Amino acid sequence: MQNLLDFDAAQLTAWFAARGEKPFRATQVLRWLHRFGAADFADMSDLAKTLRAKLTAEACVTPPPLISDRASGDGTRKFLFDVGGGNAVETVFIPETARGTLCVSTQAGCALECSFCSTGRQGFNRNLTTAEIIGQLWQANKALGRDPKGERVISNVVLMGMGEPLANFDNTVAALTLMLDDNAYGLSRRRVTVSTSGIIPAMDALSDACPVALAVSLHAPNDRLRDELVPINKKYPLKELMAACLRYLDKAPRDFVTFEYVLIDGINDHEHDARELLALTRRVPCKFNIIPFNPFPGSPYRRARSDRIRRFADVLMQAGVVTTTRKTRGDDIFAACGQLAGQIHDKTQRSARATRAFMLEEQRPCFNPRP
Ligand code: SAH
Ligand code: SF4
């Protein structure tokens, strides 16, 4: 059985052509699948009965099964999806006044082992399929429904959940292509963001295959510190990464790169780090997104103090660079950046125990206050 959620428009058209079906039939099916969220070929009323029967015999529409759907006190929703083999991935919806952002995962686990990231600590399991990546959007659209005007509530997508999107390049690009396709989700390129730890050849390839907004996880102003926090830096060091950002901007839909910087107490949160960061990024049109470190069970670091977070952001802003400090959202349901874990079955009990132990320690000053 072919899962049709695994195909972007070109791939679906080719699959139809191999069965003697015209391209416009593929477009009709694409619309049913993604615009209307249909899962049953019997509902696709404008298709010939023979085609519906053929599809029922040869194909299926299978998004990853939803295991849980939890709402946080601040309106954030966290979905957990089963991706088989005892693994689960998380998807987070963050409502804001003028937009609704879905944070999507691209891998079960991550091989890049950034020392401050819960997903990296859990190791790599496997790449998600296109159906599992786009299926998170498909399922979330269904769960979230429409606003009073009949519009979908998800206006933005960020590939900032579990995993490194550019290490799962082909499936990520197919999913991105569907997000942008007017017959599918019709999102603007500027409202779809890939976040990467900086896999340079794949950044170049993305700018050709599917240029969307780009966020680059920096977290350190020099190679010595970044080698420690983001080990892929040893392969793709900062000077080359800055050059790659400039190349990307030639083809990007936005005229800036967003640099993400997780602020960790005593590690990368000094004023001199902020000044070195400004020098490093001097030639790249950019914005900074400061993310106060979110602790997780067993994490070796503490969140930077709120006065240091403010000071760090001030130094960047005084230099004239737009800087936002990310509000921690959804941390009462462990849905904040870098807290996504997503293991199920027997592993869950272990992590639930660790989580409980951790929550008991929640009163420690490093967890609060929030910025
Ligand atoms: N692999 C990609 C995208 C997923 S991580 C990347 O690294 O960019 C998405 C963002 O969450 C990254 O900026 C990452 O550095 C950040 N993050 C990871 N762990 C975190 C933590 N414990 N606290 C706050 N942010 C974290
Ligand atoms: Fe992977 Fe991103 Fe986490 Fe690093 S921060 S381990 S690249 S998911």
Side-chain angles (χ1 to χ4, degrees):
M1 282 290 211
Q2 174 61 52
N3 186 358
L4 296 190
L5 295 183
D6 259 325
F7 290 147
D8 65 18
Q11 293 162 337
L12 190 65
T13 306
W15 191 81
F16 269 57
R19 281 155 189 78
E21 296 290 343
K22 299 237 157 57
F24 84 94
R25 292 287 176 208
T27 306
Q28 280 178 308
V29 171
L30 197 76
R31 282 200 198 137
W32 278 112
L33 297 176
H34 297 287
R35 245 204 216 168
F36 307 119
D40 192 341
F41 298 118
D43 293 339
M44 303 184 182
S45 49
D46 54 358
L47 301 184
K49 263 207 179 126
T50 48
L51 176 56
R52 277 190 259 165
K54 202 163 149 189
L55 289 173
T56 308
E58 288 187 50
C60 58
V61 181
T62 314
L66 182 62
I67 303 172
S68 75
D69 171 357
R70 296 177 64 197
S72 158
D74 61 17
T76 303
R77 288 264 289 267
K78 181 166 87 166
F79 304 101
L80 190 66
F81 294 104
D82 188 354
V83 293
N87 289 290
V89 294
E90 292 178 327
T91 309
V92 181
F93 175 69
I94 306 140
E96 286 168 293
T97 325
R99 63 182 172 194
T101 303
L102 194 71
C103 178
V104 166
S105 295
T106 53
Q107 297 182 310
C110 181
L112 299 188
E113 298 186 326
C114 299
S115 55
F116 54 86
C117 171
S118 159
T119 308
R121 282 302 197 81
Q122 135 190 352
F124 178 63
N125 193 275
R126 69 171 173 82
N127 282 333
L128 298 189
T129 62
T130 303
E132 287 166 336
I133 301 172
I134 204 67
Q136 297 168 60
L137 179 56
W138 193 95
Q139 291 273 44
N141 266 319
K142 201 156 272 223
L144 295 164
R146 298 198 175 238
D147 67 13
K149 287 195 215 136
E151 306 281 335
R152 281 176 161 167
V153 296
I154 300 169
S155 59
N156 294 53
V157 172
V158 293
L159 300 191
M160 286 185 192
M162 298 167 67
E164 167 53 52
L166 297 186
N168 181 12
F169 191 81
D170 292 346
N171 297 344
T172 292
V173 166
L176 288 171
T177 306
L178 282 166
M179 290 172 198
L180 305 180
D181 193 324
D182 282 336
N183 291 312
Y185 299 91
L187 297 174
S188 138
R189 272 179 203 286
R190 300 155 60 88
R191 288 172 172 263
V192 175
T193 303
V194 166
S195 173
T196 180
S197 55
I199 302 181
I200 292 175
M203 288 165 62
D204 288 328
L206 182 70
S207 69
D208 285 328
C210 192
V212 290
L214 184 72
V216 175
S217 293
L218 278 187
H219 314 316
N222 57 58
D223 285 324
R224 183 193 47 75
L225 185 54
R226 195 164 190 267
D227 282 353
E228 204 181 291
L229 298 175
V230 186
I232 193 74
N233 190 68
K234 293 179 197 145
K235 194 160 176 195
Y236 302 117
L238 283 168
K239 191 161 169 244
E240 290 168 31
L241 184 56
M242 291 305 112
C245 289
L246 280 173
R247 285 198 298 280
Y248 191 89
L249 284 176
D250 277 345
K251 297 186 185 154
R254 286 192 179 269
D255 54 8
F256 62 90
V257 170
T258 302
F259 288 127
E260 296 166 272
Y261 195 103
V262 171
L263 269 189
I264 308 171
D265 182 38
I267 304 284
N268 64 356
D269 63 344
H270 312 92
E271 268 189 59
H272 63 79
D273 292 322
R275 281 192 290 274
E276 198 178 356
L277 184 61
L278 284 167
L280 170 76
T281 55
R282 199 179 46 227
R283 291 177 50 236
V284 184
C286 66
K287 291 185 181 176
F288 289 111
N289 192 356
I290 303 295
I291 313 170
F293 170 69
N294 289 311
F296 52 89
S299 59
Y301 304 119
R302 293 152 79 99
R303 174 176 295 177
R305 293 194 339 236
S306 43
D307 56 324
R308 302 265 291 237
I309 296 173
R310 260 195 305 275
R311 184 71 202 123
F312 196 94
D314 278 349
V315 172
L316 302 178
M317 284 188 286
Q318 275 159 19
V321 188
V322 174
T323 302
T324 49
T325 301
R326 195 175 293 173
K327 256 197 309 182
T328 290
R329 302 277 306 256
D331 57 354
D332 55 340
I333 52 168
F334 268 72
C337 301
Q339 290 183 324
L340 306 184
Q343 291 176 331
I344 49 172
H345 302 328
D346 53 336
K347 293 179 196 158
T348 312
Q349 298 192 346
R350 230 182 303 142
S351 80
R353 270 200 301 277
T355 304
R356 266 195 304 279
F358 173 71
M359 290 311 242
L360 289 174
E361 291 178 40
E362 190 188 332
Q363 310 311 330
R364 285 181 315 180
C366 69
F367 197 75
N368 286 311
R370 312 212 192 300

